[in-house]
């Protein structure tokens, strides 16, 4: 096998522009699937048009500090004519009223085009954000370049910060006296009283970020802030990320013929990671103090939490192999640390956000997958054996709230079914385990600060999400947003069927199926398999799937059966179900998908010679494995934004599952579908955004290079300037018109 790192230096750098603008088969204009749609038929154009067939939810719901009211953005109109206002609702009465008008929001903080809309001309704008002040008497309004303080009593606004430089990660101090934010790679403070601002850190730049995250930490560790206020507002703990040794990857400006590129810090397996330190800075000034993280520098800092005393930090330290997670207790006055908890796993550690320090600082809530399933444990600092609060062959998804007055923790879990998510409670002594939500489907809850009331955003596979207000005991108080989409009734959508099949080694695998509206079991139908298949992903789930679900319904209306199977490695069934993919991507997953394909071929209503497959991201990667290694089952495939060679993906994700280099070099070779590209027999379509900063376009270029050398033709649709999550409607319509026609023509 030739080195993929050499390919990166040669093919990627020298062929990027030539491939980008070469005559790769891209459909630039296309009619929508043959003939005009009949009444009751879905179309690609309608699926990706406004108003959305998923309806519209209250967005950015936030509870006031006193738990008596909640606020949300209310948008009226569609497209460029849409107007967004900030509204509030009294929890006790259900009364709704505007807090800030659309005109005042726009006048105070003018919106600006988002990064992708600048590249694509789609006209989308960076979203406005807001926060409640700790006393509930004001709101912080956040724009891309400005911060404003809105006084609710006087109904007046004054700008705290305004300029042309990007601002990020704004937070109000717990005492309400300051707003902190990131600007020019440093932490800043501005007074909410007199508006004076000052730098809390200095010397930050693109190479050494202070209080600011890089790309890979939020993407792969789901950490979304780089600093934390102490509860007493006296100090701020922050991450310092030294990126100087992290390689830079060019994202080429597709509109420029000069070869201009934006450079992105992107660590690759076996290469340098950012070196991360934790420091604590006094708001009153002085030199920031570093915390002792040990002598090993090649580690991750996935979480930082203050203890209630504002004098100690709990810092989680994860080794590079991601098999040992240590919790360090740091004294912020001296910087010294002592380890007080450790989790180890023979495969890998999945980091969570479930740590909660209880009042008094002597007890804390923690979750672990040590049993093979994530469950909750109550610890104290005495060194006693922790109390296990939950147990069983199911997993806790996340902690939602802790009510210390009632000694109860509320959490979301899969106890009822891995296809669903429900709200539960259990006592801090392990008693009183109860499921609170009852409707079959998926519940996502947002608790008020006092944990007495919550908003439930609920959906199932055939119903768009709605929002309701509930008491903590499950009693419904009000409907916030019924979100009825009457137009859906016109399309007579097919029912989603859920069932299980057994793999060849007797593992039950969850499946779903959508049949054509006029399904006749005496006929034979082509099948379109949808897959993701990778870690943290789940496609067989009783939840609304938006435009993807609607496109599947469109294909069902055109006579296709839609089938999905969650293979081992997928989410929802615990760590034990994930582990078989360790050190080898594509093997166990494809084995299970093959079993699904064989099951399909055994059904009397399936045309065994017409089974296709598609997926995006990891699902695109799995589609390539299927097309190259199981052509006897999968005849046609569409791969969107696929990883083709894992040497090209980032360190944290890739090394977590495939291992460290160079000792696991064979695992990298065996995990990459590109090694079998020459075995392609069926029809293959690939689509990829040239501005994809997650799965770089180089993945597709290197695959094309191998296919050319093997004399294999595939159709490639380059999407100029688009990122991994394709979001602008013109590109969505064009892409899915092409994908629809591709399957109609070839399956």
């Amino acid at each position: 096998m030739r080195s993929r790192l050499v390919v990166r230096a040669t093919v990627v750098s020298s062929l990027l522009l030539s491939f980008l603008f070469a005559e790769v088969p891209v459909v630039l204009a296309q009619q929508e699937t043959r003939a005009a749609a009949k009444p009751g038929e879905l179309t690609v154009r309608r699926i990706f048009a406004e108003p959305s067939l998923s309806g519209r939810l209250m967005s950015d719901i936030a509870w006031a500090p006193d738990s008596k009211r909640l606020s949300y953005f209310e948008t009226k109109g569609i497209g460029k004519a849409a107007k967004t206002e900030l509204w509030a609702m009294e929890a006790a009465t259900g009364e709704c009223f505007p807090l800030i008008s659309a005109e005042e929001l726009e006048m105070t903080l003018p919106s600006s085009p988002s990064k992708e809309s600048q590249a694509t001309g789609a006209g989308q704008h960076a979203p406005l954000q807001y926060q409640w002040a700790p006393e509930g008497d004001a709101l912080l309004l956040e724009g891309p370049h400005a911060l404003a303080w809105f006084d609710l009593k006087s109904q007046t606004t004054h700008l705290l910060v305004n300029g042309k430089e990007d601002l990020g990660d704004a937070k109000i101090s717990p005492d309400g006296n300051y707003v902190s934010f990131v600007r020019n790679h440093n932490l800043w403070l501005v007074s909410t009283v007199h508006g004076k601002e000052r730098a809390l850190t200095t010397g930050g730049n693109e190479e050494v970020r202070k209080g600011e995250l890089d790309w890979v930490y939020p993407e792969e560790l789901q950490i979304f802030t780089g600093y934390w206020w102490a509860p007493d507002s006296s100090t701020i703990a922050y991450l310092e990320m030294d990126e100087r040794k992290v390689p830079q990857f060019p994202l080429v400006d597709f509109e420029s013929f000069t070869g201009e590129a934006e450079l992105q810090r992107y660590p690759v397996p076996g290469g340098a990671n950012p070196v991360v330190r934790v420091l604590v800075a006094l708001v009153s000034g002085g030199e920031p103090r570093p915390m002792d993280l040990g002598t090993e520098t090649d580690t991750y800092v996935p979480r930082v939490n203050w203890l209630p005393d504002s004098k100690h930090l709990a810092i989680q330290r994860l080794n590079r192999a991601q098999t040992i997670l240590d919790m360090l207790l740091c004294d912020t006055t001296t910087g010294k640390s002592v380890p007080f908890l450790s989790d180890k796993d023979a495969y890998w550690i999945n980091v969570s956000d479930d740590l909660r320090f209880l009042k008094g600082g002597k007890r804390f809530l923690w979750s672990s997958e040590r049993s093979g399933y994530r469950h909750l444990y109550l610890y104290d600092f005495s060194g006693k054996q922790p109390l296990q609060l939950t147990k069983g062959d199911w997993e806790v998804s996340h902690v939602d709230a802790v009510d210390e007055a009632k000694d109860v923790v509320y959490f979301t879990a899969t106890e009822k079914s891995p296809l669903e998510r429900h709200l539960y409670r259990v006592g801090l002594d392990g008693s009183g385990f109860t499921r609170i939500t009852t409707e079959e489907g998926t519940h996502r809850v947002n608790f008020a600060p006092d944990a007495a009331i919550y908003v439930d955003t609920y959906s199932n596979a055939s119903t768009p999400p709605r929002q309701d207000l509930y008491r903590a005991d499950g009693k419904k108080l009000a409907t916030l947003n019924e979100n009825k989409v009457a137009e859906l009734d016109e399309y007579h959508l097919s029912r989603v069927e859920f069932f299980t099949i057994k793999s060849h080694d007797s593992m039950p695998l969850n499946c779903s199926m959508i049949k054509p509206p006029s399904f006749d079991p005496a006929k034979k139908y082509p099948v379109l398999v949808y897959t993701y298949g990778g870690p943290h992903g789940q496609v067989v789930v009783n939840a609304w799937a938006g435009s993807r679900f609607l496109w599947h319904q469109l294909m069902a209306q055109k006579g296709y059966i839609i089938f999905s199977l969650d293979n081992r490695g997928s989410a929802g069934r615990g760590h034990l179900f994930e582990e078989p993919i360790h050190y080898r991507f594509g093997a166990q997953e494809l084995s299970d998908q093959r079993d699904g394909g064989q099951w399909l071929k055994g059904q009397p209503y399936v045309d065994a010679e017409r089974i296709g497959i598609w997926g995006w991201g990891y699902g695109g990667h799995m589609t390539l494995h299927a097309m190259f290694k199981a052509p006897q089952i999968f005849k046609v495939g569409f791969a969107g934004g696929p990883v083709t060679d894992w040497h090209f993906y980032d360190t944290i994700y890739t090394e977590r599952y495939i291992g460290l280099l160079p000792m696991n070099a064979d695992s990298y070779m065996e995990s990459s579908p590109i090694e079998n590209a020459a075995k392609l027999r069926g029809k293959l379509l690939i689509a990829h955004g040239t501005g994809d900063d997650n799965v770089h376009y180089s993945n597709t270029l290197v695959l094309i290079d191998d296919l050319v050398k093997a004399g294999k033709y595939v159709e490639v649709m380059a999407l100029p300037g688009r990122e991994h999550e394709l979001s602008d409607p013109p590109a969505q319509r064009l892409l899915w018109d092409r994908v629809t026609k591709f399957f109609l023509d070839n399956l």
Side-chain angles (χ1 to χ4, degrees):
M1 171 191 166
R2 67 185 187 281
S3 170
R4 291 298 172 194
L5 299 181
V6 173
V7 170
R8 184 181 185 86
T10 56
V11 174
V12 174
S13 60
S14 63
L15 299 183
L16 182 55
L17 286 176
S18 60
F19 268 120
L20 192 55
F21 297 107
E23 292 185 13
V24 180
V26 176
V27 181
L28 298 178
Q30 184 173 323
Q31 294 179 349
E32 182 163 355
T33 42
R34 319 249 184 219
K38 300 175 183 177
E41 281 189 347
L42 282 164
T43 66
V44 168
R45 182 163 297 277
R46 178 62 195 95
I47 290 172
F48 294 103
E50 293 289 343
S52 171
L53 288 174
S54 294
R56 178 179 284 165
L57 293 177
M58 294 174 172
S59 62
D60 294 276
I61 292 176
W63 284 96
D66 63 5
S67 301
K68 293 181 179 179
R69 65 170 63 170
L70 57 88
S71 53
Y72 54 92
F73 281 130
E74 177 76 20
T75 301
K76 297 178 181 178
I78 61 175
K80 294 182 179 180
K83 295 290 185 181
T84 298
E85 298 179 324
L86 187 62
W87 280 64
M89 176 183 182
E90 296 290 350
T93 64
E95 178 190 0
C96 297
F97 52 93
L99 282 177
I100 308 178
S101 68
E103 291 73 23
E104 188 163 5
L105 285 174
E106 181 64 26
M107 183 173 60
T108 303
L109 296 173
S111 57
S112 62
S114 63
K115 178 182 175 183
E116 186 168 17
S117 68
Q118 289 175 326
T120 63
Q124 298 171 4
H125 287 73
L128 183 72
Q129 296 178 306
Y130 73 98
Q131 299 174 40
W132 282 89
E135 297 300 320
D137 57 351
L139 295 164
L140 174 67
L141 305 178
E142 309 164 49
H145 311 293
L147 300 173
W149 194 257
F150 182 80
D151 187 283
L152 289 168
K153 293 179 181 177
S154 64
Q155 293 288 296
T156 58
T157 305
H158 67 273
L159 282 172
L160 298 177
V161 181
N162 192 21
K164 295 182 179 180
E165 296 170 309
D166 288 344
L167 308 176
D169 202 8
K171 298 178 188 176
I172 307 172
S173 63
D175 62 11
N177 291 333
Y178 291 97
V179 172
S180 53
F181 58 96
V182 176
R183 181 173 62 195
N184 293 330
H185 313 293
N186 278 297
L187 275 174
W188 290 74
L189 297 176
V190 61
S191 169
T192 59
V193 179
H194 49 65
K196 291 183 179 180
E197 62 178 72
R198 59 186 171 90
L200 187 69
T201 66
T202 58
N205 52 50
E206 186 275 331
E207 292 183 327
V208 181
R209 303 162 184 259
K210 300 192 177 186
E212 179 188 47
L213 298 173
D214 64 351
W215 178 86
V216 73
Y217 259 56
E219 178 68 25
E220 305 302 4
L221 293 174
Q222 285 73 56
I223 177 173
F224 300 112
T225 184
Y227 73 96
W228 302 265
W229 279 94
D232 67 1
S233 300
S234 64
T235 52
I236 291 179
Y238 67 92
L239 299 184
E240 179 187 87
M241 307 195 77
D242 187 339
E243 302 270 335
R244 285 175 289 184
K245 294 183 180 180
V246 176
Q248 293 178 297
F249 188 86
L251 296 173
V252 177
D253 179 358
F254 76 95
E255 291 183 331
S256 171
F257 289 89
T258 63
E260 294 180 4
E262 175 187 346
L263 295 178
Q264 175 197 19
R265 297 279 180 183
Y266 193 96
V268 293
N273 268 324
V275 178
V276 179
R277 297 197 301 162
V278 180
L279 296 99
V280 172
L282 289 169
V283 172
S284 59
E287 189 69 20
R289 179 177 292 112
M291 300 294 104
D292 178 16
L293 301 182
T295 57
E296 177 60 55
T297 59
D298 199 5
T299 58
Y300 301 112
V301 182
R303 297 292 184 271
V304 176
N305 297 82
W306 281 98
L307 271 67
D309 64 4
S310 296
K311 296 178 181 179
H312 293 87
L313 283 173
I315 300 175
Q316 296 180 39
R317 181 185 64 193
L318 184 65
N319 67 329
R320 180 149 179 174
Q322 299 177 66
T323 55
I324 303 172
L325 179 69
D326 294 316
M327 184 103 76
L328 307 177
L329 183 65
C330 294
D331 184 331
T332 60
T333 59
T334 65
K336 294 182 179 179
S337 67
V338 292
F340 71 98
L341 186 150
S342 185
D343 251 2
K344 299 180 181 180
D345 194 280
Y347 299 92
W348 68 84
I349 296 279
N350 290 311
V351 179
S352 81
D353 285 307
D354 297 333
L355 177 62
R356 299 287 191 281
F357 287 100
L358 305 186
K359 293 175 183 177
K362 295 182 180 180
R363 300 185 301 167
F364 62 94
L365 193 67
W366 177 253
S367 72
S368 172
E369 293 181 311
R370 65 190 60 165
S371 68
Y373 298 88
R374 184 170 298 282
H375 283 295
L376 299 179
Y377 299 81
L378 186 67
Y379 283 77
D380 62 29
F381 287 98
S382 68
K384 292 191 304 184
Q385 187 74 13
L387 175 65
Q388 185 170 352
L389 303 183
T390 63
K391 60 185 66 177
D393 294 346
W394 49 271
E395 65 177 21
V396 172
S397 303
H398 52 81
V399 172
D400 296 300
V402 178
D403 186 342
E404 290 192 62
K406 296 181 178 178
D407 279 337
V408 170
V409 56
Y410 297 94
F411 58 94
T412 298
T414 62
E415 183 267 347
K416 180 178 182 293
S417 167
L419 276 61
E420 302 182 5
R421 299 294 185 272
H422 285 275
L423 176 65
Y424 295 80
R425 70 167 175 263
V426 69
L428 290 175
D429 61 358
S431 66
F433 175 83
T434 305
R435 177 160 59 92
I436 298 172
T437 51
T438 57
E439 288 183 277
E440 293 185 357
T442 297
H443 299 261
R444 180 168 51 86
V445 303
N446 181 351
F447 266 91
D450 65 2
I453 193 171
Y454 66 89
V455 174
D456 179 19
T457 301
Y458 163 79
S459 75
N460 59 41
S462 57
T463 307
R466 71 167 192 260
Q467 294 163 308
D468 300 291
L469 195 64
Y470 285 86
R471 257 184 5 207
D473 61 6
K475 177 178 173 57
K476 187 174 179 179
L477 299 176
T479 296
L480 302 180
N481 180 10
E482 193 175 16
N483 196 31
K484 278 277 191 181
V485 185
E487 186 183 343
L488 286 175
D489 294 338
E490 300 175 15
Y491 302 113
H492 307 290
L493 303 180
S494 297
R495 182 171 63 91
V496 180
E497 302 174 22
F498 294 105
F499 55 96
T500 62
I501 65 172
K502 283 194 174 181
S503 66
H504 68 276
D505 58 348
S506 300
M507 171 63 74
L509 300 172
N510 292 327
C511 303
S512 66
M513 181 177 285
I514 300 172
K515 293 174 181 174
S518 55
F519 176 74
D520 182 348
K523 295 182 178 179
K524 288 188 178 292
Y525 295 87
V527 178
L528 186 56
V529 175
Y530 169 63
T531 184
Y532 181 79
H536 313 299
Q538 187 180 2
V539 297
V540 183
V541 59
N542 193 6
W544 180 254
S547 57
R548 184 184 74 225
F549 166 74
L550 293 168
W551 183 75
H552 284 162
Q553 290 283 344
L554 178 154
M555 295 302 289
Q557 289 180 349
K558 295 183 182 299
Y560 290 79
I561 290 173
I562 312 300
F563 175 82
S564 286
L565 176 149
D566 274 335
N567 51 252
R568 275 164 280 194
S570 302
R573 294 179 64 179
H575 196 35
L576 283 173
F577 193 73
E578 296 177 319
E579 292 168 359
I581 67 171
H582 198 222
Y583 290 139
R584 178 74 187 276
F585 275 158
Q588 182 65 64
E589 305 98 298
L590 184 58
S591 175
D592 289 347
Q593 294 293 339
R594 274 196 182 109
D595 288 344
Q598 293 293 350
W599 179 87
L600 285 169
K601 293 176 78 168
Q603 304 311 301
Y605 49 82
V606 168
D607 186 336
E609 297 304 312
R610 290 195 294 160
I611 299 177
I613 187 169
W614 85 274
W616 196 278
Y618 199 99
H621 160 259
M622 281 305 303
T623 296
L624 297 178
H625 274 299
M627 293 298 295
F628 299 159
K629 297 177 69 176
Q632 71 280 9
I633 297 175
F634 303 104
K635 310 299 183 180
V636 180
F638 163 54
V643 178
T644 65
D645 190 319
W646 290 101
H647 291 96
F648 287 9
Y649 206 55
D650 70 69
T651 48
I652 298 180
Y653 184 97
T654 312
E655 293 174 356
R656 181 189 299 153
Y657 305 116
I658 309 182
L660 302 179
L661 289 171
M663 63 281 291
N664 294 295
D666 288 347
S667 295
Y668 280 74
M669 180 186 71
E670 294 165 357
S671 295
S672 294
I674 200 169
E675 296 304 316
N676 294 286
K679 299 178 183 178
L680 176 67
R681 283 163 45 187
K683 298 286 187 179
L684 177 61
L685 169 66
I686 301 172
H688 208 145
T690 67
D692 192 334
D693 64 354
N694 184 343
V695 182
H696 291 147
Y697 192 65
S698 54
N699 282 270
T700 288
L701 295 179
V702 172
L703 175 59
I704 294 171
D705 188 50
D706 275 26
L707 289 167
V708 167
K709 291 172 182 176
K712 300 289 184 177
Y713 172 83
V714 300
E715 184 175 330
V716 179
M717 188 172 183
L719 299 162
R722 272 65 177 187
E723 299 178 356
H724 193 63
E725 299 297 333
L726 191 65
S727 60
D728 62 298
Q732 290 173 326
R733 288 192 294 267
L734 185 66
L735 171 64
W736 291 103
D737 270 342
R738 180 67 205 117
V739 175
T740 302
K741 188 173 187 299
F742 177 76
F743 281 116
L744 290 175
D745 288 346
N746 295 296
L747 202 60

